[in-house]
Amino acid sequence: MKTVIERIKEITKSGLKKISSKYNFSLDGLDIEIEIPKEEKYGDYSTPVAFNLARSMNINPFHVARDLLETLNKINRFFFKKIDLVPPGFINFFLSRKFLLKELQEISSQKGNYGKADKDREDKIILEFVSANPTGPLNVVSARAASVGDALGNILQFRGKNVFKEYYINDAGGQVDLLGKSVLYRMKQRSGKRVKLPEDCYQGEYLIDVATEIMKDKSFYKKIKNLNEKESIEMIRDYTVKSIVKSQKKDLKAFQVEFDNWYSENRLRKSKAIDEVLDLLKKKGALYDNEGKVYFRSTSFGDEKDRVMVREDGTPTYFCVDSAYHLDKFRRGFTQVIDLWGPDHHGYIPRMKGVLQSMGFTEDSFQVFIVQQVNLLEKNEKIQMSKRAGNFVLMRDLLKDIGKDAARFFFLHRTLNSHLDFDMELARKQSDENPVFYVQYAHARICSIFKQAESQKAKLPKDRSKIKLDLLAENKEEIDLIKKLIDFPDTIREAALKFQPGLITGYLLTIAQLFHKFYTEHRVLTKNKSLTLARLYLVECIKIILKIALDLIGIKAPEKM
RNA sequence: GCGCCCGUAGCUCAGCUGGAUAGAGCAACGGAUUUCUAAUCCGUAGGCCGUAGGUUCGAAUCCUACCGGGCGUGCCA
């Protein structure tokens, strides 16, 4: 099913085809822009296509628009009530009432599938996000990434893509060794030794819990007691990572975010993947040796300097391992690799793009989006957060404080690429008037209407064709609602195309607003039975759309509040 | 030094591949409920779009310089 904009685009295109010979232009590569004007008098949809053509051919936009309008008026009578031409060359479309009602029927009949795109058999997307180090519980930054990543995955899936959500566990390297050491010292402390936790260790108190857990695990504890410090640190490290990953999974689940796969860096390192990536890059001539180290020529891809892949002692760098991981993503058959990274990894984009291109993958098969940082404010003071210092606000605390629905809505309702000031005090205090409740209330209100209708024996018949839809769209509130409802597929489409899950929250707010207004102005349950049924039908469509949209972003659609 | 993000209403932010009179929410102020949930609705007020130039029919949007805030700039992960 094509979206409304897609259909208007097609109509406009066929109109342009008919006048193309007169002006001698080609439609190849011309993107016909269809937008929703800010002001009602400029129509429901509008196109500035005449300007685009006029500019490239140096002709008068008004003339092109005038001829286009003439052809368009001949082409379609059903879609539009009228088409306007406004100087200096805007073409404005006004939808017909007939079309609005026809499209409303689509919502009713397609239900949860309204706005879905056909399955795309070509693309297999792997979407990697969060991937926090397994050195502690997830914090608010991960919460933002989780909200965004999960919603994006759902949206892309809805728009027909095959999406595989993956979490990369950095369970190898120096950081986790330090983690093992930290827990070892916590264990020493717990057994009564007066030792101080070294400064380079993770200071978080959650590690005391892990230490306790290990000491209670008698069989494991016995095993490590007789080992030397290095060996026991390794054992403790693995135990700790396992325990922390488990708790991260739990936190994410509470946040309603689930992954298709948790991928272990440790396992990757033990496989042949690293040798493979080095071999492949060598074959392509992208590597060179210098002072006993192996370098990758990332300067060929706009990086500031070439990057070390293998150190003098023969161990691979993080970059090297990550390259192997990304090669593995393609090896597993994914055609589109999408990563959400934190701003601290920003500098890695050129070299990672470079590595993948060197190995023969196209530039646009790998995309990175930076989910910007979250600044937490408490009493107007910025909270300094450092994992090592152990003072960071946790995802689970956020959940307890303001709830999953409000938190997710908040994280999504702004572009992922900009910094986010999260005022904890305000979020807590405002929990009553948070926009998410406004949206949820709309859904609950609708459910309440149906409950009431049932007691009045006003029930929508199974055969919806019996309903007199002609009674709808008689007033502005209904017309505005229907117009916004049928815009849903376009909103989702744009959100998927531009990777902007925030468009959904904005859409939800508008629908809720239009509904609340309608609710205030008009009654659904009236003495006129036909009208009652028609309005129930409309309200049911609103409920369908609200539910789909809320599901996509992982927010509950409550039956009552 | 270099790179990136940000600067729009009192606050939080949309709008940024140039287009029609710069928008929304919150806060402030004034109003609305005998009827399906007032967690609602209606109205008022609020702006040198960081500053200065440039590009053009047209700039919040593009270019240049500068100012301010934040982050990054490892053979750590």
Side-chain angles (χ1 to χ4, degrees):
Chain A
M1 186 81 188
K2 293 219 163 75
T3 69
V4 176
I5 286 182
E6 281 170 338
R7 279 176 273 171
I8 296 178
K9 219 177 247 197
E10 279 175 8
I11 291 169
T12 308
K13 193 171 183 177
S14 61
L16 284 172
K17 237 180 230 164
K18 292 206 169 115
I19 62 165
S20 61
S21 56
K22 178 175 173 185
Y23 290 96
N24 194 25
F25 59 75
S26 158
L27 292 178
D28 294 342
L30 176 72
D31 181 41
I32 301 169
E33 203 180 325
I34 306 288
E35 54 192 26
I36 297 177
K38 277 172 271 179
E39 291 199 54
E40 285 177 21
K41 67 174 178 189
Y42 295 133
D44 301 317
Y45 295 87
S46 167
T47 180
V49 70
F51 295 106
N52 303 333
L53 285 168
R55 186 179 304 138
S56 61
M57 288 176 317
N58 203 18
I59 52 175
N60 189 330
F62 191 78
H63 293 165
V64 187
R66 194 185 50 203
D67 289 344
L68 177 59
L69 177 69
E70 202 176 307
T71 14
L72 286 177
N73 272 328
K74 280 181 207 151
I75 294 174
N76 206 294
R77 287 255 160 267
F78 170 71
F79 256 72
F80 307 114
K81 186 168 62 189
K82 66 168 174 175
I83 309 173
D84 266 358
L85 165 59
V86 178
F90 291 100
I91 289 182
N92 301 330
F93 303 93
F94 295 80
L95 296 176
S96 71
R97 184 157 175 258
K98 224 185 222 171
F99 175 74
L100 292 179
L101 295 176
K102 182 92 199 332
E103 192 64 17
L104 192 65
Q105 285 180 298
E106 289 295 332
I107 300 176
S108 179
S109 63
Q110 292 186 36
K111 299 205 168 62
N113 291 321
Y114 184 72
K116 247 187 200 172
D118 293 338
K119 205 94 192 123
D120 183 341
R121 291 183 198 285
E122 306 283 306
D123 267 350
K124 280 184 74 186
I125 298 175
I126 179 164
L127 180 64
E128 184 210 329
F129 58 104
V130 184
S131 300
N133 285 342
T135 53
L138 296 173
N139 59 33
V140 286
V141 184
S142 296
R144 181 179 191 183
S147 309
V148 170
D150 184 57
L152 259 181
N154 294 342
I155 290 165
L156 289 169
Q157 204 132 35
F158 195 75
R159 289 303 295 173
K161 306 290 184 188
N162 297 293
V163 183
F164 189 83
K165 291 184 268 194
E166 187 157 279
Y167 189 116
Y168 182 61
I169 312 167
N170 297 119
D171 53 0
Q175 301 256 26
V176 282
D177 288 341
L178 210 54
L179 183 74
K181 187 176 161 191
S182 309
V183 174
L184 177 68
Y185 272 81
R186 287 300 193 187
M187 287 165 66
K188 284 180 179 170
Q189 288 176 338
R190 271 206 68 85
S191 59
K193 284 185 189 125
R194 307 196 75 183
V195 289
K196 231 182 141 192
L197 193 62
E199 249 178 55
D200 62 345
C201 279
Y202 290 92
Q203 306 289 318
E205 294 192 354
Y206 57 90
L207 291 182
I208 298 174
D209 298 340
V210 181
T212 310
E213 192 186 329
I214 288 176
M215 290 164 84
K216 274 188 191 155
D217 190 337
K218 295 244 166 65
S219 64
F220 180 79
Y221 192 40
K222 221 184 237 168
K223 253 190 264 171
I224 56 172
K225 258 195 154 169
N226 302 318
L227 299 173
N228 64 34
E229 181 158 306
K230 187 171 174 275
E231 287 166 330
S232 65
I233 283 180
E234 275 174 31
M235 296 276 289
I236 293 168
R237 176 195 67 195
D238 293 347
Y239 193 104
T240 305
V241 165
K242 223 171 164 181
S243 161
I244 289 178
V245 167
K246 198 175 151 196
S247 86
Q248 289 181 341
K249 276 186 191 175
K250 200 177 139 200
D251 286 351
L252 283 164
K253 200 167 179 183
F255 214 59
Q256 213 181 305
V257 176
E258 301 210 37
F259 289 85
D260 295 305
N261 190 33
W262 290 67
Y263 191 104
S264 160
E265 175 184 349
N266 219 343
R267 271 180 66 189
L268 178 82
R269 285 193 191 233
K270 284 176 185 155
S271 75
K272 294 219 159 68
I274 290 171
D275 293 334
E276 272 179 48
V277 82
L278 289 170
D279 283 349
L280 185 53
L281 285 169
K282 200 169 186 178
K283 251 185 241 159
K284 301 278 184 182
L287 302 180
Y288 64 89
D289 293 346
N290 187 25
E291 297 171 343
K293 292 163 271 192
V294 180
Y295 282 84
F296 168 68
R297 289 183 208 281
S298 49
T299 43
S300 316
F301 299 92
D303 201 4
E304 293 164 1
K305 54 183 179 186
D306 291 338
R307 304 291 174 173
V308 173
M309 290 216 113
V310 184
R311 301 183 189 99
E312 244 173 309
D313 65 1
T315 57
T317 61
Y318 170 75
F319 170 51
C320 177
V321 181
D322 217 22
S323 300
Y325 172 44
H326 281 79
L327 171 61
D328 179 71
K329 289 182 182 177
F330 283 107
R331 285 271 160 87
R332 281 186 276 159
F334 295 105
T335 56
Q336 184 74 31
V337 173
I338 303 174
D339 290 3
L340 302 186
W341 288 356
D344 48 334
H345 286 64
H346 180 268
Y348 271 77
I349 297 175
R351 72 189 84 162
M352 187 55 68
K353 278 191 172 278
V355 155
L356 293 170
Q357 279 178 62
S358 294
M359 293 188 290
F361 302 105
T362 61
E363 195 181 347
D364 52 5
S365 60
F366 173 62
Q367 281 173 286
V368 182
F369 293 92
I370 300 293
V371 178
Q372 280 289 350
Q373 68 195 78
V374 177
N375 294 321
L376 284 183
L377 308 172
E378 190 76 80
K379 295 190 175 80
N380 285 326
E381 293 273 325
K382 197 166 150 190
I383 304 173
Q384 293 300 326
M385 292 192 288
S386 153
K387 265 196 190 181
R388 217 164 274 179
N391 61 335
F392 45 86
V393 176
L394 305 183
M395 185 164 165
R396 58 172 86 113
D397 295 338
L398 187 76
L399 219 82
K400 234 183 274 165
D401 241 4
I402 69 168
K404 176 207 60 159
D405 290 341
R408 289 191 64 147
F409 196 93
F410 209 92
F411 282 131
L412 289 172
H413 191 54
R414 61 209 62 226
T415 47
L416 55 153
N417 202 16
S418 57
H419 300 215
L420 162 55
D421 284 337
F422 201 119
D423 188 329
M424 295 293 283
E425 210 179 13
L426 200 73
R428 231 170 275 139
K429 196 167 61 187
Q430 278 194 341
S431 63
D432 275 69
E433 55 213 27
N434 198 305
V436 70
F437 294 107
Y438 183 80
V439 174
Q440 290 181 316
Y441 183 49
H443 189 269
R445 254 184 163 176
I446 292 171
C447 293
S448 172
I449 293 173
F450 276 104
K451 224 170 282 161
Q452 189 72 25
E454 219 166 299
S455 70
Q456 293 180 14
K457 303 221 165 90
K459 215 178 157 194
L460 284 170
K462 280 222 174 76
D463 182 3
R464 302 285 152 100
S465 66
K466 284 181 186 154
I467 293 166
K468 293 181 179 145
L469 292 184
D470 275 355
L471 297 170
L472 290 176
E474 289 278 18
N475 54 62
K476 186 171 175 354
E477 287 74 22
E478 286 174 349
I479 293 168
D480 287 349
L481 260 172
I482 296 170
K483 281 178 184 169
K484 196 66 193 174
L485 288 174
I486 68 175
D487 176 51
F488 179 67
D490 276 309
T491 299
I492 298 287
R493 181 171 161 267
E494 199 183 343
L497 223 59
K498 296 186 177 170
F499 295 91
Q500 286 182 357
L503 293 178
I504 310 287
T505 52
Y507 177 86
L508 278 166
L509 284 170
T510 309
I511 284 287
Q513 186 186 42
L514 291 171
F515 167 72
H516 286 312
K517 191 166 179 176
F518 162 79
Y519 183 92
T520 312
E521 300 288 327
H522 308 282
R523 282 191 62 82
V524 174
L525 307 175
T526 63
K527 281 178 187 150
N528 179 339
K529 194 167 180 210
S530 303
L531 181 64
T532 298
L533 290 181
R535 288 201 171 148
L536 276 175
Y537 182 93
L538 170 64
V539 160
E540 188 189 50
C541 289
I542 302 168
K543 187 181 160 196
I544 290 168
I545 299 289
L546 284 175
K547 181 79 166 71
I548 303 174
L550 286 169
D551 278 351
L552 284 174
I553 58 177
I555 292 176
K556 198 178 167 222
E559 300 275 319
K560 64 175 176 193
M561 286 173 80

